Amino acid sequence: MVKLNVQLNMQRASLCPCCGALVDNYQCETCGHSWHSEKMNHTHIDYAGLSGRNALPERYVARKLDERLAQLESHLKPGMRILEVGCAEGLLGARIKARTSLMYWGIEPSRDSELARTHLDAVFRDSSELPSDIAPFDAILSFHVLEHISEPELEIARWRAHCHETTWLLIEVPCRGGHADVAIDCNPEHLHHFSPASLASLLEKNGFDPLAITRGHYESPVYTDSLRIFAIPKLAASHQRERLAERFSCIPAPFAVFGLGGDFRNYVQPLIDRLPVTTLLDSNPALSGSIQGRFRVECYQPSHHAHLPILVSSLRHERSIMADLHAAGHAKELIYLLADIYDKT
């Protein structure tokens, strides 16, 4: 009996599909995710034979679409290329295309794809059917899809393959039970029950950077508490460093850096080998003559430094450094601020 119990516990132990933690009984205490394994859920849904996935009274469907469109409108631009995974009858895409001139494709495994094709540019049954010439997309949308998929991490990875650097992703799923007063979602089609932490973890683990997550979004009268997450592809560290170094290109080369405190060490020094810096300056006499990497620290002298563009690399002492430079007659147009480098969009 002891041996049997050990075997059962080993069968119940698994890795959380969202955060990767080792869990028992398909409940993750780390991120709050819960799910039904394929062994626990024997219900097979033949989506290819279903239709009318939005077959609710019109006022409910209109409320849902209005709420989604209200959030999307500010992100829509002419010429965009959008993919909606789980587009149903294509009603959201039809509304979007009526407002903005763009390309809109859908993925829909049910028979609703037939109606969706009358609204959208093309509709496919599965992400594997997507022609290579229509990707990458500028945006990927998915509303109440991931909870139906047995391996959501694989699905997210497929979406990531269809992104470019600035693609944005908008996903909506029920929050736990899907309603503030419903503890457990008993919908037999729903294999996963997401928490805010588990949805964010799922995206982070599969190459996305979550920027915002909100809850309380309306899908239907019984699913009034949905999670919605906005994310972009996560950049490789090397690419991120290139983009960060590019921010300094507004400073004419070569330039000097004034202020060698914590802001310098955090936000300039890690990039200094990629920047056209020739001189390090600081007003602290104790630092004068010390060696910082390949540089010997100097005190500002108009005779030596007046011709150089200078980056003020301290936020806390920004005013005092600028005052010293102005008092020394350094040209205003040759002074640049670290705040402006990092704060620009």
Side-chain angles (χ1 to χ4, degrees):
M1 180 62 72
V2 173
K3 183 176 181 180
L4 177 59
N5 287 337
V6 171
Q7 289 175 339
L8 288 174
N9 288 334
M10 290 179 63
Q11 289 172 359
R12 291 171 182 164
S14 57
L15 297 180
C16 175
C18 293
C19 71
L22 183 64
V23 303
D24 291 323
N25 297 319
Y26 314 106
Q27 304 277 336
C28 182
E29 295 183 1
T30 301
C31 71
H33 192 69
S34 63
W35 70 101
H36 303 287
S37 73
E38 292 181 351
K39 293 180 180 179
M40 294 171 62
N41 191 317
H42 299 288
T43 303
H44 175 70
I45 306 296
D46 181 15
Y47 289 102
L50 299 179
S51 62
R53 304 295 284 162
N54 269 322
L56 294 174
E58 184 179 349
R59 67 183 184 275
Y60 302 142
V61 176
R63 177 179 171 182
K64 170 177 65 177
L65 296 178
D66 288 345
E67 200 266 356
R68 291 174 183 175
L69 189 58
Q71 179 165 8
L72 288 169
E73 275 189 315
S74 63
H75 298 284
L76 301 176
K77 299 178 182 179
M80 283 186 69
R81 303 165 65 83
I82 297 178
L83 174 69
E84 183 182 355
V85 182
C87 65
E89 301 95 335
L91 300 181
L92 177 62
R95 287 194 175 199
I96 289 176
K97 286 177 67 65
R99 287 165 170 75
T100 309
S101 177
L102 47 72
M103 300 292 288
Y104 199 108
W105 293 273
I107 293 176
E108 178 53 51
S110 76
R111 288 170 54 195
D112 290 336
S113 60
E114 298 167 9
L115 181 56
R117 289 188 179 93
T118 67
H119 298 305
L120 310 183
D121 293 284
V123 179
F124 307 94
R125 293 277 184 166
D126 187 85
S127 57
S128 63
E129 296 182 7
L130 289 171
S132 59
D133 60 343
I134 67 172
F137 302 101
D138 300 308
I140 298 178
L141 313 178
S142 173
F143 297 92
H144 292 259
V145 170
L146 282 181
E147 65 270 23
H148 296 259
I149 297 174
S150 60
E151 297 180 300
E153 63 274 29
L154 297 182
E155 187 67 18
I156 293 292
R158 293 189 191 101
W159 300 353
R160 180 65 180 85
H162 296 304
C163 296
H164 55 65
E165 181 181 315
T166 59
T167 299
W168 51 269
L169 182 71
L170 189 69
I171 296 175
E172 183 178 297
V173 296
C175 183
R176 300 186 179 92
H179 189 284
D181 295 327
V182 176
I184 300 174
D185 182 5
C186 296
N187 189 326
E189 295 186 23
H190 293 179
L191 305 180
H192 292 269
H193 309 295
F194 291 92
S195 72
S198 72
L199 184 57
S201 295
L202 175 66
L203 291 180
E204 282 193 304
K205 195 176 72 168
N206 290 283
F208 285 95
D209 188 9
L211 299 183
I213 185 166
T214 52
R215 61 181 292 184
H217 298 283
Y218 180 92
E219 199 275 336
S220 73
V222 293
Y223 286 106
T224 58
D225 188 15
S226 296
L227 293 170
R228 188 175 292 172
I229 193 165
F230 186 87
I232 58 175
K234 191 181 298 183
L235 293 178
S238 59
H239 193 180
Q240 200 168 28
R241 283 173 56 83
E242 289 176 8
R243 283 184 46 169
L244 193 55
E246 180 64 25
R247 287 178 170 267
F248 292 81
S249 63
C250 62
I251 306 176
F255 64 89
V257 177
F258 199 134
L260 307 182
D263 292 331
F264 167 77
R265 292 192 295 272
N266 285 336
Y267 308 115
V268 179
Q269 194 171 42
L271 297 165
I272 204 161
D273 289 339
R274 307 174 69 94
L275 302 176
V277 174
T278 59
T279 307
L280 296 184
L281 303 170
D282 199 275
S283 57
N284 183 355
L287 290 178
S288 181
S290 64
I291 303 299
Q292 298 260 358
R294 69 177 191 273
F295 302 97
R296 182 180 296 276
V297 180
E298 304 175 32
C299 289
Y300 180 83
Q301 299 181 48
S303 58
H304 292 138
H305 307 123
H307 67 287
L308 281 174
I310 291 181
L311 170 65
V312 178
S313 63
S314 173
L315 300 179
R316 179 177 299 178
H317 302 293
E318 175 184 289
R319 288 186 178 181
S320 62
I321 293 175
M322 290 178 65
D324 290 345
L325 290 173
H326 292 157
H330 203 86
K332 291 182 179 180
E333 62 271 17
L334 292 180
I335 300 175
Y336 296 82
L337 304 181
L338 183 67
D340 294 335
I341 298 297
Y342 272 83
D343 202 27
K344 66 182 180 181
T345 57

